[in-house]
Every structure is written in structure tokens, then in C-alpha cells.
Amino acid sequence: LFFMAKEIVEMLVEAVTTELPDTKTIRLKWPDGYDPDFKTGQFITVFWPDTPAYKRAYSLSSCALERGYYEVTVKRDGKMGTRIVDWVKPGDKLVVIPPVGRFLPVYEPDKHLVCIAGGSGVTPFRAFAREATLRNLETRITVLYSVRSPRNIIFREQFHELAQQNPNFYFYVTCTRIDDGSIGEEAEWKGRRGRISPVWVMEHVHDLKNTIFYACGPNELVEFAEEIVLRGLNLPKEQMKTEKWG
């Protein structure tokens, strides 16, 4: 079988991985002969065969070097996210519209990609880090990730492993909902607390003209990042890429 690159294809759910109680990664197996040309950072659009009118776009959490499948990491959110997280199982079929999007990492040796993420908005940055690590790139990548509490960190172990494998990859988390009355894991959290701030972002920037900022997640977070970069630092739009998730 030969597929056109833009063809809409039904794919088998090959594996389902629980990342958090409300977040799952699904692996969609490419059918024989399907060999798309796409880029790390793009998104696919999916729908269930029985409800074609209801579609949702998800950033790929796998990178373009990983062939034979797509991975998306989905939070229980809205009709589609709830159905996927609560019901999807290996052997199910989803219809996939091929990857598109301009949220692309600039993999140049002197560039520093500062990636600001909130909640499940961190998923494309796993793809960024994976490709850079697989290719042993000199591009520096820093993920600044805002979550409510330590138990909401998606890919916690995977990001720490990537940081150990790749000397140019850094992963930092800030927790917004920890207070002094916290118990258990939250009370033991030694990392940063509070929201992403301009000061915290700037602590990680060393060469402004070679820094490209990425922001992905809830609208409020992305707009705040734009405020910091475009107005606070007065940088040109070329140095900022965003993906708003509503």
C-alpha cells in the first residue's frame, strides 16, 4: 500500500502508558506503507471512527526520528481527553490526520531553546529533548515547567534521564499550589515554589540574542510568557513560538 503524505489514516492503538492518574500516553501504530515526512514539535488531529465530527489536536510527545508510530500524551480533559484516558486500550482504532504545525525546535549549535510549559503543555518538549539527545546536538534546551504539585509532573523520570544523558538539556519545575500545611511528597518538595516569574525565566538566559523562547499550555500561561518575552524583554516575534491549548 502506498499512502499520500496528507492522507487520513485509521491507526491501531498499540500501547497505552499511564503517566499520571489523569494522563496517558498512547502509541498509534503506522499501517504498512505509511511513512510520513513530519517534524518534531508538530501535532496530529485524531477522532474516533464512530464520532468523526468530534476531533481533537494533540502535540506529538514522540519525535520525528522515532518511526513506525506516533505518541501523544493526553490529559483527562473535555470529551475526547476523558474518553481516551478513561477508556482507550490497546487494539482500539483511532483515525489520524497527519502532523502539521509550526512549533518547531531550532536545532542550531549556538541556540538556546527556553521552553516554558504548564500542565500537559510539556508534552512537545519531551519530543524536543528526545531528538536533541538522540542526535547528540549542541543546542541547549531548558524546560521551565509549572505544575500544581509534584504529583502533577508528567514525564518526571524521563526528563531526569534525558538530562543525565544530554549535557545540554536542563529540566526545572516550579510548583504553584504547595503551602506550609502540605503533607507527604509536597512537604518534602525541595524545588521552586510559586508561579513562573520573569526573574526565574531570566535566571536561565545567558545570551539573549541566541535564545528562542517556546511556550505551550493553557492560554493564560502562554500569554504571560509572551508578555515577558515580547514586551518585557522587547524581543522580536521571531524569537518566540507559542502553542495555546485553550
Side-chain angles (χ1 to χ4, degrees):
L1 285 170
F2 175 74
F3 290 98
M4 296 297 290
K6 291 280 163 270
E7 194 151 345
I8 296 174
V9 177
E10 194 170 87
M11 292 189 189
L12 192 70
V13 176
E14 193 173 29
V16 179
T17 307
T18 301
E19 308 292 352
L20 299 176
D22 69 349
T23 306
K24 289 186 179 170
T25 295
I26 59 169
R27 178 175 286 200
L28 295 156
K29 183 177 168 32
W30 297 354
D32 292 344
Y34 181 87
D35 188 27
D37 180 23
F38 70 100
K39 295 184 171 71
T40 294
Q42 293 189 309
F43 61 87
I44 56 172
T45 301
V46 300
F47 58 91
W48 294 89
D50 63 0
T51 50
Y54 192 70
K55 300 175 173 67
R56 274 296 294 272
Y58 292 108
S59 285
L60 294 169
S61 51
S62 54
C63 76
L65 300 180
E66 299 170 77
R67 311 299 291 176
Y69 59 86
Y70 294 128
E71 282 184 341
V72 290
T73 302
V74 179
K75 197 177 162 115
R76 183 190 289 116
D77 176 34
K79 284 186 280 193
M80 181 68 83
T82 301
R83 182 167 171 185
I84 287 174
V85 171
D86 290 344
W87 298 104
V88 81
K89 59 192 185 304
D92 287 350
K93 295 214 165 96
L94 275 167
V95 186
V96 177
I97 301 172
V100 289
R102 299 200 195 114
F103 194 70
L104 308 178
V106 177
Y107 288 132
E108 291 171 19
D110 59 342
K111 292 289 186 239
H112 181 191
L113 315 185
V114 173
C115 304
I116 299 167
S120 59
V122 81
T123 57
F125 300 134
R126 181 181 81 156
F128 282 31
R130 273 166 98 137
E131 177 166 344
T133 304
L134 286 165
R135 290 173 57 194
N136 292 313
L137 296 179
E138 287 172 36
T139 308
R140 185 182 175 114
I141 300 176
T142 301
V143 171
L144 303 178
Y145 184 22
S146 171
V147 292
R148 289 180 174 198
S149 84
R151 60 173 184 267
N152 302 119
I153 302 171
I154 302 172
F155 305 138
R156 189 177 187 171
E157 280 72 35
Q158 292 185 43
F159 277 128
H160 285 305
E161 279 167 26
L162 285 163
Q164 283 170 339
Q165 292 163 15
N166 182 345
N168 300 309
F169 175 65
Y170 302 84
F171 176 63
Y172 301 100
V173 177
T174 188
C175 292
T176 59
R177 295 287 173 88
I178 295 187
D179 55 44
D180 296 335
S182 298
I183 52 168
E185 189 183 14
E186 297 192 356
E188 287 157 29
W189 176 248
K190 302 279 189 288
R192 189 180 182 279
R193 299 176 181 206
R195 302 172 68 128
I196 289 175
S197 70
V199 172
W200 191 50
V201 172
M202 285 313 296
E203 277 171 20
H204 301 281
V205 175
H206 312 289
D207 173 8
L208 203 50
K209 73 175 190 312
N210 282 309
T211 302
I212 300 174
F213 292 88
Y214 293 79
C216 185
N219 290 359
E220 188 188 0
L221 173 117
V222 173
E223 283 159 14
F224 180 67
E226 286 176 319
E227 190 69 38
I228 294 173
V229 174
L230 301 178
R231 281 171 283 290
L233 298 173
N234 208 15
L235 291 181
K237 281 198 171 68
E238 293 73 50
Q239 279 178 260
M240 174 120 221
K241 294 173 190 272
T242 62
E243 202 89 286
K244 288 183 186 168
W245 286 9

